[in-house]
């Protein structure tokens, strides 16, 4: 059963790579996809494997480990976790055939490890990444980069100075829906973008079961400021990255407000946030996130005078959709109540209800390949081919800085500008 599952995912993955590599996407717009293109110039021999160490195989780390275990070009040499039950699970996933550590520095001491995957809580990312670069490793580090802007910059600089790859886990950068939609946006299909709206709504307490009370802050690190910036670093960071990518800009400033209005359970981080990011073009990202209602789910809506893209829903909507066939149009008209003009402000006034146009799919391929799998393949191929993931360290950095600015705006209750010394 397990083997069937692996084979199926591997098949989907290969399909995914071929969509990206063989697509009509202008690969020059997305240079980080280059390592995924079939290449005969692999500097490692065809059979050689990238030797990887995993630091922090918790919930996300185990998922990344599983993906990497299915990759024939990867050997997981060592794993490290300072929480024994997670270390044991990670070792068991590899049938015990792996070196195991509780201190990541011992893992970094292994000379022939090429790269590390860091999936620890946010507050650990900076020092582990910088130490990994000092030890000569490439780094995949989960989003968001770090808790402070100077730490993000130190990570970015360390990777650049070491000449190693730094990939931050924003998997949408490898998602065919986003790649295709971004190409449309950048080619002007929506007109110049005039607004971006994004939200991430869930309805759960974000808590994990804690076997004994002294482990509360270690296991529920997301809920405390010492370890996390809450919804901003855990959810918003992905969507801010999408907004930056769509606009090809980074925000000049942000205002925001956040607080706890539902989960009064001893947590410190906000359970609801609302922010506005201002971009140099005059466009704004209007953002909110909450964890007490899931009706609207999550979305990034890119709006321009000619159309709208909703990435999560894989939809493009024209502002002037082709008319529906006669009978459908009649039903739509009744549904929209265009025949029930309400006599306010003139006889022809009708409420400006949302468009009922169903739009078209950005990508018509099902199932869509898993973007995290494609991202990890990109990381592995980049190392095998000595072909850097051009532009991705910058994407990670710019999203992380904006995320932290949003946090500061909410905590300090004022507009926060991007500090000029931290522009790339
Ligand atoms: N890209 C995505 O879509 C995505 C999704 C989920 C989580 N994440 C990110 O992944 C990271 C981890 O999240 P998670 O939900 O897996 O957390 P988690 O708590 O489940 O896992 C973190 C693991 O790191 C271990 N750890 C903590 N400090 C350590 C240290 N000093 N040395 C070694 N191990 C240590 C913990 O014991 C735990 O096993 C976060 O940065 C999170 O934002 C990204």
């Amino acid at each position: 059963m397990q083997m069937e599952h692996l084979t199926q995912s591997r098949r989907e993955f290969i399909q995914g790579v071929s969509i990206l590599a063989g697509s009509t996407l202008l690969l020059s717009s997305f240079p980080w996809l280059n390592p995924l293109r079939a290449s005969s110039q692999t500097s490692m021999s065809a059979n050689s494997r990238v030797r990887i160490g995993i630091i922090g195989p918790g919930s996300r780390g185990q998922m990344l480990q599983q993906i990497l275990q299915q990759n024939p070009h990867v050997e997981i040499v060592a794993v490290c976790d300072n929480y024994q039950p997670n270390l044991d699970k990670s070792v068991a996933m590899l049938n015990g055939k792996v070196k195991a550590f509780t201190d990541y520095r011992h893992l970094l001491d292994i000379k022939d490890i090429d790269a590390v995957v860091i999936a620890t809580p946010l507050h650990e990312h900076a020092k582990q990444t910088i130490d990994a670069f000092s030890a000569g490793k490439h780094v995949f580090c989960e989003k968001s980069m770090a808790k402070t802007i100077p730490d993000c910059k130190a990570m970015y600089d360390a990777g650049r100075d070491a000449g190693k790859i730094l990939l931050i886990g924003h998997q949408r950068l490898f998602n065919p829906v986003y790649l295709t939609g971004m190409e449309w946006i950048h080619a002007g299909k929506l007109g110049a973008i005039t607004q971006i709206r994004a939200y991430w709504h869930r309805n759960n307490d974000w808590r994990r079961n804690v076997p004994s009370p002294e482990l509360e802050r270690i296991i529920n690190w997301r809920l405390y400021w010492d370890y996390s910036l809450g919804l901003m670093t855990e959810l918003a960071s992905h969507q801010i990255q999408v907004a930056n990518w769509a606009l090809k800009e980074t925000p000049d400033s942000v205002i925001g407000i956040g607080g706890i209005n539902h989960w009064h359970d001893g947590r410190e981080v906000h359970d609801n946030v609302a922010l506005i990011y201002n971009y140099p073009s005059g466009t704004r990202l209007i953002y909110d996130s909450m964890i007490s209602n899931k009706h609207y789910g999550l979305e990034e809506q890119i709006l321009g005078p000619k159309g709208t893209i909703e990435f999560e829903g894989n939809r493009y909507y024209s502002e002037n959709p082709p008319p529906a066939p006669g009978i459908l149009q009649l039903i739509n008209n009744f549904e929209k109540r265009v025949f029930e003009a309400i006599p306010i402000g003139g006889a022809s006034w009708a409420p400006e209800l949302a468009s009922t146009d169903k739009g078209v799919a950005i990508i018509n391929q099902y199932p869509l390949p898993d973007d995290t799998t494609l991202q990890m393949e990109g990381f592995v191929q980049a190392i095998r081919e000595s072909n850097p993931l051009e532009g991705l360290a910058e994407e990670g950095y710019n999203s992380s800085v904006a995320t932290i600015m949003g946090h500061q705006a909410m905590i300090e209750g004022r507009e926060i500008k991007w500090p000029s010394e931290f522009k790339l």
Side-chain angles (χ1 to χ4, degrees):
M1 186 64 195
Q2 178 72 356
M3 208 46 224
E4 268 171 34
H5 169 69
L6 294 189
T7 316
Q8 171 64 15
S9 345
R10 186 80 200 149
R11 203 174 313 128
E12 280 174 24
F13 152 74
I14 289 164
Q15 276 167 3
V17 171
S18 57
I19 293 177
L20 293 185
S23 75
T24 53
L25 285 171
L26 281 178
L27 288 176
S28 56
S29 307
F30 311 115
W32 58 90
L33 298 181
N34 284 335
L36 283 177
R37 285 202 275 196
S39 166
S40 55
Q41 296 160 4
T42 313
S43 59
M44 286 182 145
S45 79
N47 294 327
S48 70
R49 295 197 286 170
V50 176
R51 292 168 59 82
I52 289 183
I54 297 190
I55 303 176
S59 162
R60 183 69 174 174
Q62 283 174 30
M63 184 186 159
L64 299 174
Q65 179 176 328
Q66 194 191 26
I67 289 170
L68 290 169
Q69 279 182 227
Q70 294 170 28
N71 190 323
H73 298 124
V74 168
E75 180 179 356
I76 298 177
V77 179
V79 294
C80 166
D81 202 296
N82 61 7
Y83 182 55
Q84 195 64 43
N86 284 352
L87 184 61
D88 292 345
K89 271 189 219 152
S90 168
V91 170
M93 283 167 68
L94 287 153
N95 299 321
K97 292 183 189 144
V98 66
K99 294 195 173 87
F101 302 100
T102 52
D103 183 334
Y104 74 94
R105 289 169 301 184
H106 297 316
L107 181 149
L108 295 181
D109 284 341
I110 301 177
K111 290 275 173 292
D112 60 357
I113 284 185
D114 302 304
V116 291
V117 166
I118 298 175
T120 50
L122 180 72
H123 71 295
E124 299 281 6
H125 291 177
K127 72 173 176 330
Q128 292 177 346
T129 296
I130 292 166
D131 287 350
F133 284 135
S134 299
K137 320 296 185 201
H138 299 285
V139 175
F140 169 89
C141 177
E142 263 306 347
K143 49 48 69 177
S144 189
M145 273 176 109
K147 274 185 66 197
T148 69
I149 296 175
D151 274 356
C152 295
K153 188 67 168 38
M155 291 166 78
Y156 176 83
D157 289 348
R160 185 202 51 205
D161 295 348
K164 296 289 173 184
I165 293 166
L166 171 59
L167 174 57
I168 304 297
H170 290 295
Q171 59 270 20
R172 286 163 181 76
L173 286 154
F174 288 85
N175 185 316
V177 173
Y178 285 75
L179 289 158
T180 305
M182 287 299 176
E183 192 164 75
W184 292 357
I185 289 169
H186 296 154
K189 196 171 170 104
L190 310 183
I193 300 171
T194 42
Q195 191 178 97
I196 299 184
R197 304 193 308 186
Y199 51 87
W200 201 319
H201 294 183
R202 287 179 175 173
N203 193 349
N204 62 46
D205 62 6
W206 236 15
R207 282 196 166 279
R208 289 170 173 177
N209 289 333
V210 177
S212 57
E214 75 280 4
L215 292 173
E216 164 62 12
R217 293 169 77 88
I218 292 179
I219 290 184
N220 282 316
W221 58 270
R222 270 185 180 76
L223 306 182
Y224 301 97
W225 293 129
D226 280 349
Y227 318 98
S228 159
L229 303 185
L231 294 169
M232 296 309 295
T233 45
E234 291 309 305
L235 303 182
S237 58
H238 283 303
Q239 297 173 301
I240 295 170
Q241 184 273 314
V242 170
N244 292 350
W245 186 13
L247 288 166
K248 292 187 171 175
E249 293 182 305
T250 53
D252 282 336
S253 69
V254 57
I255 54 173
I257 191 157
I260 298 177
N261 67 1
H262 184 73
W263 295 108
H264 300 285
D265 60 358
R267 75 187 54 208
E268 293 168 359
V269 303
H270 300 149
D271 66 8
N272 69 96
V273 299
L275 305 104
I276 301 177
Y277 284 89
N278 299 299
Y279 284 80
S281 56
T283 298
R284 313 206 196 293
L285 161 64
I286 302 174
Y287 187 80
D288 82 282
S289 181
M290 65 191 291
I291 47 173
S292 54
N293 180 294
K294 62 180 166 44
H295 181 72
Y296 289 104
L298 84 160
E299 193 51 89
E300 301 96 38
Q301 303 169 326
I302 318 294
L303 286 71
K306 295 192 203 161
T308 299
I309 275 185
E310 292 187 343
F311 277 115
E312 299 287 344
N314 183 20
R315 291 326 270 175
Y316 162 74
Y317 307 90
S318 166
E319 280 287 276
N320 298 300
I327 183 69
L328 249 180
Q329 210 173 353
L330 197 66
I331 295 167
N332 284 347
N333 285 345
F334 273 116
E335 282 179 353
K336 279 200 218 158
R337 301 192 199 152
V338 294
F339 299 126
E340 294 174 25
I342 301 166
I344 303 173
S348 63
W349 186 87
E352 287 191 341
L353 299 176
S355 162
T356 52
D357 173 37
K358 301 273 182 280
V360 294
I362 299 170
I363 287 276
N364 264 313
Q365 173 123 4
Y366 295 95
L368 282 164
D370 174 53
D371 50 10
T372 302
T373 307
L374 290 170
Q375 169 189 247
M376 299 320 286
E377 178 70 5
F379 183 58
V380 170
Q381 287 303 329
I383 297 167
R384 295 185 77 230
E385 296 175 20
S386 304
N387 189 343
L389 294 162
E390 201 182 322
L392 289 197
E394 290 74 16
E395 286 284 344
Y397 176 81
N398 287 332
S399 156
S400 299
V401 171
T403 301
I404 296 165
M405 286 165 57
H407 170 72
Q408 285 173 347
M410 294 189 290
I411 296 296
E412 296 175 29
R414 66 184 177 94
E415 182 176 18
I416 297 289
K417 294 193 190 309
W418 192 299
S420 55
E421 69 273 29
F422 288 108
K423 286 213 188 268
L424 289 181

